[in-house]
Amino acid sequence: DTGVSQDPRHKITKRGQNVTFRCDPISEHNRLYWYRQTLGQGPEFLTYFQNEAQLEKSRLLSDRFSAERPKGSFSTLEIQRTEQGDSAMYLCASSLPGTGVTGELFFGEGSRLTVL
Amino acid sequence: AQKVTQAQTEISVVEKEDVTLDCVYETRDTTYYLFWYKQPPSGELVFLIRRNSFDEQNEISGRYSWNFQKSTSSFNFTITASQVVDSAVYFCALSEPNYTDKLIFGTGTRLQVFP
Protein backbone atom coordinates (compact mmCIF):
# COMPACT_ATOMS: atom_id res chain seq x y z
CA ASP A 1 0.00 0.00 0.00
CA THR A 2 1.46 3.34 -1.00
CA GLY A 3 -1.01 5.65 0.73
CA VAL A 4 -0.45 7.86 3.77
CA SER A 5 -0.12 5.75 6.87
CA GLN A 6 -0.54 6.82 10.48
CA ASP A 7 0.36 5.11 13.70
CA PRO A 8 -1.14 4.36 16.12
CA ARG A 9 -4.70 4.38 14.85
CA HIS A 10 -6.06 4.79 18.34
CA LYS A 11 -4.41 5.95 21.55
CA ILE A 12 -6.02 6.12 24.98
CA THR A 13 -4.05 7.97 27.61
CA LYS A 14 -4.47 9.56 30.98
CA ARG A 15 -4.43 13.30 31.43
CA GLY A 16 -0.92 14.59 31.88
CA GLN A 17 0.80 11.89 29.84
CA ASN A 18 2.74 12.53 26.65
CA VAL A 19 1.75 10.97 23.34
CA THR A 20 3.40 10.79 19.95
CA PHE A 21 1.84 10.11 16.58
CA ARG A 22 3.71 9.12 13.45
CA CYS A 23 2.84 9.82 9.83
CA ASP A 24 4.44 8.24 6.78
CA PRO A 25 3.48 10.21 3.66
CA ILE A 26 3.36 8.94 0.13
CA SER A 27 7.01 8.52 -0.76
CA GLU A 28 7.40 11.14 -3.50
CA HIS A 29 5.35 13.80 -1.69
CA ASN A 30 7.41 16.59 -0.23
CA ARG A 31 4.62 18.42 1.58
CA LEU A 32 3.15 17.03 4.77
CA TYR A 33 0.27 18.43 6.80
CA TRP A 34 -1.26 17.83 10.20
CA TYR A 35 -4.92 18.53 10.87
CA ARG A 36 -7.09 17.96 13.92
CA GLN A 37 -10.74 16.91 13.75
CA THR A 38 -13.10 16.89 16.68
CA LEU A 39 -16.47 15.18 16.70
CA GLY A 40 -18.96 16.79 14.37
CA GLN A 41 -16.46 19.30 13.03
CA GLY A 42 -14.36 19.66 9.94
CA PRO A 43 -10.60 19.20 10.06
CA GLU A 44 -8.63 22.17 11.39
CA PHE A 45 -5.16 22.96 10.12
CA LEU A 46 -2.34 22.56 12.63
CA THR A 47 0.91 22.75 10.69
CA TYR A 48 2.69 21.80 7.51
CA PHE A 49 6.14 20.93 6.25
CA GLN A 50 7.87 21.25 2.97
CA ASN A 51 10.60 18.65 3.12
CA GLU A 52 12.05 19.06 6.61
CA ALA A 53 11.11 22.72 7.01
CA GLN A 54 8.07 23.57 9.09
CA LEU A 55 6.55 26.45 7.14
CA GLU A 56 3.44 27.33 9.06
CA LYS A 57 1.91 26.65 12.45
CA SER A 58 -1.64 27.38 13.51
CA ARG A 59 -2.33 29.19 16.74
CA LEU A 60 -4.15 25.98 17.69
CA LEU A 61 -0.72 24.44 18.12
CA SER A 62 0.03 25.38 21.71
CA ASP A 63 3.42 25.04 23.36
CA ARG A 64 2.50 21.50 24.37
CA PHE A 65 2.42 20.44 20.73
CA SER A 66 5.51 19.87 18.64
CA ALA A 67 5.84 18.46 15.17
CA GLU A 68 8.97 17.33 13.40
CA ARG A 69 9.98 15.96 10.06
CA PRO A 70 13.70 15.43 10.55
CA LYS A 71 14.67 13.90 7.24
CA GLY A 72 11.87 15.18 5.10
CA SER A 73 10.16 11.81 5.08
CA PHE A 74 8.03 10.69 8.02
CA SER A 75 6.73 13.14 10.60
CA THR A 76 5.90 12.96 14.27
CA LEU A 77 3.40 14.97 16.28
CA GLU A 78 3.99 14.99 20.01
CA ILE A 79 1.56 16.27 22.60
CA GLN A 80 2.98 16.84 26.06
CA ARG A 81 0.94 16.91 29.27
CA THR A 82 -2.23 15.90 27.47
CA GLU A 83 -5.52 17.48 28.44
CA GLN A 84 -9.03 16.19 27.89
CA GLY A 85 -9.52 18.90 25.27
CA ASP A 86 -6.83 17.27 23.17
CA SER A 87 -9.13 14.34 22.48
CA ALA A 88 -9.61 14.34 18.73
CA MET A 89 -8.69 12.65 15.49
CA TYR A 90 -5.28 13.76 14.26
CA LEU A 91 -5.08 13.59 10.49
CA CYS A 92 -1.98 13.61 8.37
CA ALA A 93 -1.93 14.45 4.68
CA SER A 94 0.68 14.79 1.98
CA SER A 95 0.87 16.36 -1.44
CA LEU A 96 3.09 16.53 -4.47
CA PRO A 97 5.30 19.51 -5.23
CA GLY A 98 3.33 22.21 -6.95
CA THR A 99 -0.02 20.80 -6.00
CA GLY A 100 0.06 21.67 -2.32
CA VAL A 101 -1.29 25.14 -2.75
CA THR A 102 -4.18 23.77 -4.72
CA GLY A 103 -5.14 21.45 -1.93
CA GLU A 104 -4.98 18.07 -3.59
CA LEU A 105 -4.14 16.44 -0.33
CA PHE A 106 -3.95 12.71 0.25
CA PHE A 107 -5.08 11.93 3.77
CA GLY A 108 -4.31 9.06 6.08
CA GLU A 109 -6.97 7.37 8.17
CA GLY A 110 -6.03 9.36 11.23
CA SER A 111 -4.91 8.71 14.78
CA ARG A 112 -7.69 8.97 17.31
CA LEU A 113 -6.64 10.28 20.72
CA THR A 114 -8.76 9.78 23.82
CA VAL A 115 -7.59 11.52 26.97
CA LEU A 116 -9.20 10.22 30.15
CA ALA B 1 -11.98 36.31 7.40
CA GLN B 2 -12.08 33.06 5.49
CA LYS B 3 -15.00 30.85 6.32
CA VAL B 4 -16.89 27.91 4.88
CA THR B 5 -20.48 27.24 5.87
CA GLN B 6 -22.31 24.00 5.32
CA ALA B 7 -25.71 24.67 6.80
CA GLN B 8 -27.02 21.15 6.27
CA THR B 9 -25.85 19.00 9.15
CA GLU B 10 -27.43 15.78 7.98
CA ILE B 11 -29.42 14.69 4.95
CA SER B 12 -31.25 11.40 4.49
CA VAL B 13 -32.45 10.17 1.14
CA VAL B 14 -33.63 6.96 -0.39
CA GLU B 15 -31.52 5.30 -3.04
CA LYS B 16 -31.88 6.75 -6.54
CA GLU B 17 -32.95 10.15 -5.27
CA ASP B 18 -30.93 13.19 -6.28
CA VAL B 19 -29.40 15.21 -3.46
CA THR B 20 -27.66 18.59 -3.31
CA LEU B 21 -25.17 19.54 -0.64
CA ASP B 22 -24.81 23.27 -0.08
CA CYS B 23 -21.59 25.18 0.52
CA VAL B 24 -21.21 28.92 1.05
CA TYR B 25 -17.81 30.51 1.50
CA GLU B 26 -16.34 33.83 2.57
CA THR B 27 -12.98 35.13 1.47
CA ARG B 28 -11.17 38.42 1.14
CA ASP B 29 -9.05 37.29 -1.77
CA THR B 30 -9.77 37.18 -5.50
CA THR B 31 -7.63 34.10 -6.04
CA TYR B 32 -8.70 31.00 -4.20
CA TYR B 33 -9.57 27.34 -4.63
CA LEU B 34 -12.63 25.43 -3.54
CA PHE B 35 -12.82 21.71 -2.86
CA TRP B 36 -15.07 18.89 -1.88
CA TYR B 37 -13.84 15.93 0.14
CA LYS B 38 -15.66 12.77 1.12
CA GLN B 39 -15.10 11.10 4.50
CA PRO B 40 -16.48 7.56 4.62
CA PRO B 41 -16.83 5.70 7.94
CA SER B 42 -13.21 4.54 7.68
CA GLY B 43 -12.21 8.16 8.35
CA GLU B 44 -9.90 8.77 5.40
CA LEU B 45 -10.74 11.99 3.59
CA VAL B 46 -10.98 11.47 -0.15
CA PHE B 47 -10.48 14.32 -2.61
CA LEU B 48 -13.39 14.78 -5.01
CA ILE B 49 -12.89 18.04 -6.86
CA ARG B 50 -10.97 21.31 -6.98
CA ARG B 51 -12.17 24.51 -8.60
CA ASN B 52 -10.23 27.76 -8.87
CA SER B 53 -11.84 31.15 -8.49
CA PHE B 54 -11.41 32.03 -12.15
CA ASP B 55 -13.24 29.01 -13.47
CA GLU B 56 -16.97 29.19 -12.95
CA GLN B 57 -17.81 26.41 -15.32
CA ASN B 58 -19.88 23.70 -13.77
CA GLU B 59 -18.38 20.25 -13.75
CA ILE B 60 -19.86 16.81 -14.08
CA SER B 61 -18.14 13.58 -13.21
CA GLY B 62 -20.38 10.58 -13.53
CA ARG B 63 -23.18 10.96 -11.01
CA TYR B 64 -21.46 13.93 -9.37
CA SER B 65 -21.83 17.53 -10.45
CA TRP B 66 -20.73 20.83 -9.00
CA ASN B 67 -22.25 24.28 -9.37
CA PHE B 68 -19.88 27.18 -8.64
CA GLN B 69 -21.44 30.65 -8.45
CA LYS B 70 -19.20 33.53 -7.43
CA SER B 71 -22.15 35.92 -7.31
CA THR B 72 -23.59 34.02 -4.36
CA SER B 73 -20.26 32.64 -3.04
CA SER B 74 -21.58 29.14 -3.34
CA PHE B 75 -20.11 25.85 -4.49
CA ASN B 76 -22.85 23.25 -4.33
CA PHE B 77 -22.47 19.54 -4.91
CA THR B 78 -25.18 17.34 -6.43
CA ILE B 79 -25.28 13.57 -6.46
CA THR B 80 -27.64 12.16 -9.04
CA ALA B 81 -29.31 8.80 -8.49
CA SER B 82 -27.73 8.37 -5.06
CA GLN B 83 -26.46 4.99 -3.94
CA VAL B 84 -25.92 3.47 -0.51
CA VAL B 85 -22.15 3.72 -1.08
CA ASP B 86 -22.51 7.48 -1.22
CA SER B 87 -23.25 7.51 2.50
CA ALA B 88 -20.49 9.55 4.12
CA VAL B 89 -19.68 12.97 5.51
CA TYR B 90 -18.93 15.49 2.79
CA PHE B 91 -16.75 18.51 3.43
CA CYS B 92 -16.43 21.67 1.44
CA ALA B 93 -13.10 23.48 1.82
CA LEU B 94 -11.42 26.72 0.83
CA SER B 95 -7.76 27.43 0.15
CA GLU B 96 -6.17 30.82 -0.39
CA PRO B 97 -2.73 30.29 -1.87
CA ASN B 98 -1.91 33.98 -1.81
CA TYR B 99 -2.08 34.00 1.96
CA THR B 100 -1.49 30.53 3.20
CA ASP B 101 -1.10 26.98 2.11
CA LYS B 102 -3.85 25.37 4.14
CA LEU B 103 -7.44 24.27 3.74
CA ILE B 104 -10.31 25.73 5.70
CA PHE B 105 -13.04 23.14 6.03
CA GLY B 106 -16.72 23.51 6.68
CA THR B 107 -18.39 21.48 9.39
CA GLY B 108 -19.52 18.86 6.91
CA THR B 109 -22.81 17.35 5.83
CA ARG B 110 -23.58 13.77 6.76
CA LEU B 111 -25.38 12.04 3.93
CA GLN B 112 -27.27 8.85 4.61
CA VAL B 113 -28.61 6.94 1.64
CA PHE B 114 -31.11 4.25 2.53
CA PRO B 115 -31.88 1.29 0.28
Side-chain angles (χ1 to χ4, degrees):
Chain A
D1 183 29
T2 57
V4 177
S5 63
Q6 294 188 243
D7 183 70
R9 293 291 312 280
H10 196 175
K11 177 73 175 178
I12 301 173
T13 190
K14 293 183 179 179
R15 187 164 50 101
Q17 298 295 306
N18 299 342
V19 297
T20 300
F21 300 113
R22 175 179 170 126
C23 171
D24 287 89
I26 295 172
S27 59
E28 63 268 27
H29 289 187
N30 72 340
R31 291 197 178 206
L32 185 148
Y33 307 76
W34 285 99
Y35 282 79
R36 181 174 71 184
Q37 185 178 18
T38 54
L39 198 62
Q41 300 297 314
E44 296 173 295
F45 172 83
L46 292 179
T47 187
Y48 90 96
F49 294 82
Q50 180 159 305
N51 299 314
E52 64 274 10
Q54 189 172 17
L55 296 186
E56 186 175 350
K57 294 196 300 185
S58 164
R59 65 180 185 279
L60 294 175
L61 219 61
S62 74
D63 291 345
R64 297 184 297 104
F65 288 70
S66 63
E68 295 183 344
R69 195 182 182 197
K71 297 182 180 179
S73 56
F74 73 91
S75 176
T76 58
L77 176 68
E78 181 184 15
I79 309 173
Q80 296 182 327
R81 305 181 303 282
T82 52
E83 301 172 356
Q84 289 183 327
D86 297 332
S87 295
M89 177 77 83
Y90 290 86
L91 298 166
C92 178
S94 66
S95 67
L96 281 166
T99 64
V101 294
T102 62
E104 289 192 65
L105 305 184
F106 295 81
F107 281 86
E109 292 183 323
S111 293
R112 181 171 296 283
L113 173 64
T114 302
V115 181
L116 302 176
Chain B
Q2 308 95 314
K3 185 179 178 182
V4 175
T5 301
Q6 294 180 257
Q8 303 153 308
T9 305
E10 186 164 340
I11 300 175
S12 296
V13 298
V14 176
E15 219 172 10
K16 298 185 182 178
E17 285 187 22
D18 299 347
V19 58
T20 296
L21 309 181
D22 297 333
C23 173
V24 174
Y25 63 92
E26 296 175 31
T27 177
R28 58 182 180 267
D29 198 14
T30 56
T31 303
Y32 52 90
Y33 290 85
L34 294 162
F35 312 86
W36 278 93
Y37 279 83
K38 175 182 180 179
Q39 189 173 41
S42 62
E44 183 177 343
L45 283 151
V46 177
F47 169 84
L48 294 178
I49 190 172
R50 170 195 62 194
R51 174 65 72 227
N52 74 52
S53 52
F54 299 107
D55 182 4
E56 287 192 71
Q57 283 190 350
N58 292 330
E59 182 155 338
I60 298 174
S61 176
R63 296 184 297 106
Y64 295 170
S65 62
W66 291 269
N67 183 342
F68 175 31
Q69 292 194 345
K70 288 179 73 171
S71 60
T72 57
S73 297
S74 66
F75 186 43
N76 297 337
F77 173 31
T78 297
I79 302 175
T80 303
S82 58
Q83 300 176 1
V84 173
V85 293
D86 296 327
S87 298
V89 181
Y90 291 86
F91 291 97
C92 181
L94 168 68
S95 173
E96 296 187 12
N98 284 351
Y99 288 92
T100 183
D101 188 29
K102 67 184 183 185
L103 296 183
I104 299 163
F105 285 86
T107 51
T109 297
R110 179 177 299 278
L111 174 64
Q112 293 196 72
V113 182
F114 294 99

